Every structure is written in C-alpha cells, then in structure tokens.
Amino acid sequence: MTTETPTTPTPPAVDPRLLVRKEGLAGYFEEFGRKVRSGELGSLPVVIGLIIIAAIFQWKTGSFLNADNLTNITKWIAGPGLIATGVVFVLLLGEIDLSLGSVAGASAAISSVLAVRQGVNEWLAVLIGIAAAVALGALHGFFFSKIGVPALLVTLAGMLAWSGLQYLVIGSLGTVNNLNDGVIANLDTYFLGDGDIIWAWLFAILAIVLFGTGQLLEARRRVAAGLPARPIAEIALRTGALAVVVLVVAYVLNQDRGLPLPLVLFVGIVALGDFVLRRTTYGRQIFAVGGGIEAARRAGINVAWVRTSVYMISAGLAGFGGLFIASQQGSADKGLGGANMLMNAIAAAVIGGTSLFGGRGKTWSALLGILVIQSITTGLDMVHAQQAIQYMITGAVLLAAVVLDSVSRRTQKSNGRG
C-alpha cells in the first residue's frame, strides 16, 4: 500500500478590507503603505501636486504665496468649484453631464433679468433661477433614466439648448449688470465685514471641534458594534493635523481682508454633500448604482429616481455656481458658463480623485481639484503665460489624473478590491 503524505492546506487569501491594523503610529503607517500598494492613493497625489505648484510659482514670482493672492484664489474657486461638486455626483454614477456650464449661465441670466429688468425681489429671483436649473436637471434625468437616451447625448443637447435660452433671456444688450449692493453682488464679499478677523478664527475652531467630535462619535459607535475603531491617539493626531491646516488658512486670510463669503458657502456645500454621500441611505444608493446598475436594481434601489435626482442636484449646484461667477464679474452675460468653464469643472473633479468609471469619489475632490486648476491658472497669469500654454498645462494635468485613476483601478482589481 502506498501511504500518501498529508499536505498542508494553502491558507485562504484574506480580503484587505477585513484586516485589523495594529494600534499606534506604526499601525497607521503600515495601513497607509498597504493602501498605497493596493492602489488606494486617496488625496495624496493632489496634496503633493498643490505643494509642487505653490513652490514653483513662488520661486518664479516671489509673490504667489502672498496673503492677497491666496485670498483671491479662495474666492475664485467658489463658482467653478460648485459646478465641479455637481460633476462629482454625476461621475459617481459613471455618467457625464455636458450641460452644466450652460445651466449655470441660464440660471444666472434668469435671476439677473428678473431682479434688474423685471423688478422682482432679488431673493425670489435667485430662488427662481436655481429652481429653473433644478428643473433643467430633472428634464435631463427624465430622458436619461426613463426614456433611455444616453446621458452624453441628452446633456449635449442640453448644452446647446440652454445656451440658446441664456441668449434669449438676456436679450440683445448681451449683459445684465448686478444691482448695487444686491444679493448677487454681495456673494463676492467677506463674511460679516471686510477685515473682521474674528470670523476666520471662529470658523477654524468650529471645523476642528466638529471634526474631532465626529471622529470620537464614529469610534464610539464602532466599539459599541464590536468593530475595530481608531484609537484616541490616532484621532488626536488626525485632529491636530487638520487644526494646523485650518489655523494656517485662517491666519493667511486674516493677513489680507478676512474670511471670504464664497469660501464659507463653497466649503459648507462640499461638507454637506460629503455628509449626504457617506452618512445617508441615499448616498449609499448613489454609490451602489455607480458600482453596478443591475445589482442595485436587484437590491431594491429605485435606479431611475437616483439617476434623475443626481442630475437635479448637479444642475442645482451649477445654477448656484453661476450666481457666484456673475457676482465676481459684476454681471450676467452671454459668455457666462462658456469657454472652458465646463472642462475645468470636470477636470477638477477627476484631478481631485473622483473616478471616471463610477462608484468612487467624494465631494472634497471638487475642492482639491479646483484648487489645483485655479492655482495653475493664477500662477500662469502672474508669469504672463499665453492662454494656449494654460490650456496645454491644464490638459496635461487632467491626462495625468486620468492615467493615475486607470492605473489605480487596475491595481485595486489585481489586489482583489476592484
């Protein structure tokens, strides 16, 4: 008789998502290394890119990091940044919206014409303009989710149609100047007063307290559910790192004119969007639909409603962003939302880390991405670079972000996480 030698069974592969890391800094860096190796780069490339951009333009100009220049950047990012936040919602579905620039222009035109030429109360005019944008988004969502027309074609048609609506509403004069000291004009001011430094410090402290409290509550919930949670030392480290960033930002802003209102509203909407996506059932449904339509439908998700509502959100944010752009340029005109506005918004979302393939991203991507684009634009303006050079560099950065997204996705799949 032949006696078979027993073989040692091969241990099953362990899903990295189920690994419980060691406590302390060593465990933190070990987990960070594991995520990088598996393609989960997060915001790291964007942060590194911002540091490099700032260093290069400071070296070339000697004034890029001056308080007045940085304050202007934080104001200029609000309009296109809000459009980019809407793009994030659409990209999470794995779709695209080419109409958002035109929607922004049409919304601003409607609000301005109602307030200036028709004498409608400006607050009401603003609400009507944003509501019109939401309605246009609902129309796109209907044709896409109910009729089955591809989103690319629906929103391409919308881009052309709403540009025409913008021209029609504004009329032959071509420009509608903002009301002096009106609602739209005051969007580009400072929070409760130019030069009032207390508000920047208060908002910085509020952000630190909210972040730290949220981290502690999340850890408490996970412990109560028997799940691994971040230790107190790590929460303190993360909160301390955030505190350094926001306090430095508050200090820089206060060296100029204080806290810009556009920055407050933009960051507030980004934070609200992040809460909706990460903490609500609706947000999880968006990720589910972006991850796989059939699987989401079998799970009982109303896919048509999720798709339609996402296009309503993105259009509403574009309408709000159009008002900021009108405020900063002093008027609503036929060119608002045109040129490369839409391309910059899409590029910002992708550069910030939102995947073009759907199912992965966050609203903070819009903030980081638009900071990169606006920093490049401002820096190139300061060195008097040609417009063509600006387009080429922005295009190269966008291509790099898409390549990084593709490589990251392939790496995650090879590690069993795609």
Side-chain angles (χ1 to χ4, degrees):
M1 294 180 62
T2 304
T3 303
E4 295 183 1
T5 304
T7 58
T8 303
T10 303
V14 179
D15 190 331
R17 289 171 289 190
L18 303 179
L19 295 176
V20 180
R21 65 175 175 80
K22 303 174 185 177
E23 292 190 5
L25 286 177
Y28 183 84
F29 288 115
E30 179 183 329
E31 182 192 38
F32 176 77
R34 185 169 67 239
K35 285 183 176 180
V36 171
R37 289 192 297 272
S38 63
E40 293 184 77
L41 300 177
S43 303
L44 180 63
V46 190
V47 173
I48 294 175
L50 279 171
I51 294 172
I52 293 174
I53 291 168
I56 291 175
F57 285 124
Q58 179 63 22
W59 169 60
K60 294 291 291 183
T61 66
S63 58
F64 182 82
L65 294 178
N66 286 2
D68 59 341
N69 188 55
L70 295 180
T71 299
N72 286 333
I73 289 176
T74 64
K75 291 173 61 179
W76 293 332
I77 63 174
L82 286 167
I83 300 175
T85 305
V87 171
V88 169
F89 276 84
V90 176
L91 289 181
L92 287 175
L93 295 180
E95 301 295 342
I96 194 66
D97 191 340
L98 300 179
S99 70
L100 294 180
S102 298
V103 170
S107 177
I110 291 171
S111 297
S112 297
V113 168
L114 286 176
V116 177
R117 296 182 182 171
Q118 304 300 323
V120 176
N121 177 275
E122 195 171 9
W123 279 107
L124 179 58
V126 166
L127 292 177
I128 292 174
I130 295 176
V134 173
L136 298 181
L139 187 63
H140 298 154
F142 171 78
F143 280 105
F144 170 50
S145 61
K146 292 292 189 179
I147 307 301
V149 182
L152 178 68
L153 298 180
V154 171
T155 57
L156 178 60
M159 178 180 70
L160 299 173
W162 312 139
S163 290
L165 175 64
Q166 178 183 356
Y167 281 40
L168 182 65
V169 169
I170 290 180
S172 58
L173 294 179
T175 300
V176 182
N177 294 325
N178 299 331
L179 293 174
N180 291 330
D181 202 31
V183 176
I184 297 177
N186 282 326
L187 287 175
D188 191 39
T189 55
Y190 291 82
F191 193 82
L192 297 181
D194 188 345
D196 193 344
I197 68 171
I198 187 63
W199 295 106
W201 294 119
L202 286 178
F203 271 88
I205 293 170
L206 179 63
I208 297 166
V209 171
L210 289 177
F211 179 81
T213 303
Q215 293 283 299
L216 288 172
L217 291 176
E218 181 180 4
R220 183 178 179 181
R221 285 194 298 266
R222 293 181 66 86
V223 169
L227 298 172
R230 290 191 175 97
I232 298 298
E234 182 184 329
I235 292 176
L237 178 64
R238 292 164 62 89
T239 306
L242 175 71
V244 171
V245 173
V246 296
L247 290 174
V248 168
V249 170
Y251 173 79
V252 171
L253 294 176
N254 284 336
Q255 299 307 300
D256 187 43
R257 288 154 285 180
L259 183 63
L261 179 60
L263 178 63
V264 175
L265 295 177
F266 178 34
V267 173
I269 289 176
V270 167
L272 177 61
D274 181 67
F275 176 82
V276 169
L277 289 176
R278 294 195 305 116
R279 301 295 184 184
T280 67
T281 301
Y282 174 70
R284 290 190 288 272
Q285 290 176 347
I286 293 176
F287 281 103
V289 173
I293 296 173
E294 189 57 35
R297 185 176 287 113
R298 290 176 180 272
I301 296 174
N302 188 339
V303 173
W305 163 244
V306 170
R307 285 174 152 182
T308 301
S309 61
V310 163
Y311 275 89
M312 292 169 65
I313 291 171
S314 65
L317 290 173
F320 196 25
L323 295 176
F324 276 98
I325 298 169
S327 177
Q328 290 167 350
Q329 66 184 26
S331 64
D333 57 33
K334 293 181 178 180
L336 195 154
N340 61 335
M341 181 65 67
L342 173 64
M343 293 300 102
N344 280 346
I346 296 174
V350 176
I351 289 170
T354 299
S355 175
L356 282 168
F357 303 100
R360 191 175 79 247
K362 58 184 66 175
T363 54
W364 295 106
S365 303
L367 175 60
L368 292 172
I370 201 63
L371 270 175
V372 169
I373 290 179
Q374 188 59 59
S375 296
I376 292 174
T377 301
T378 302
L380 291 175
D381 284 341
M382 293 176 72
V383 299
H384 307 293
Q386 297 179 11
Q387 191 75 26
I389 301 299
Q390 295 187 20
Y391 288 163
M392 292 171 66
I393 292 178
T394 304
V397 172
L398 174 59
L399 178 61
V402 173
V403 170
L404 187 63
D405 179 36
S406 301
V407 172
S408 174
R409 183 178 175 86
R410 186 181 307 167
T411 305
Q412 289 188 43
K413 283 185 175 181
S414 65
N415 282 272
R417 307 198 60 175

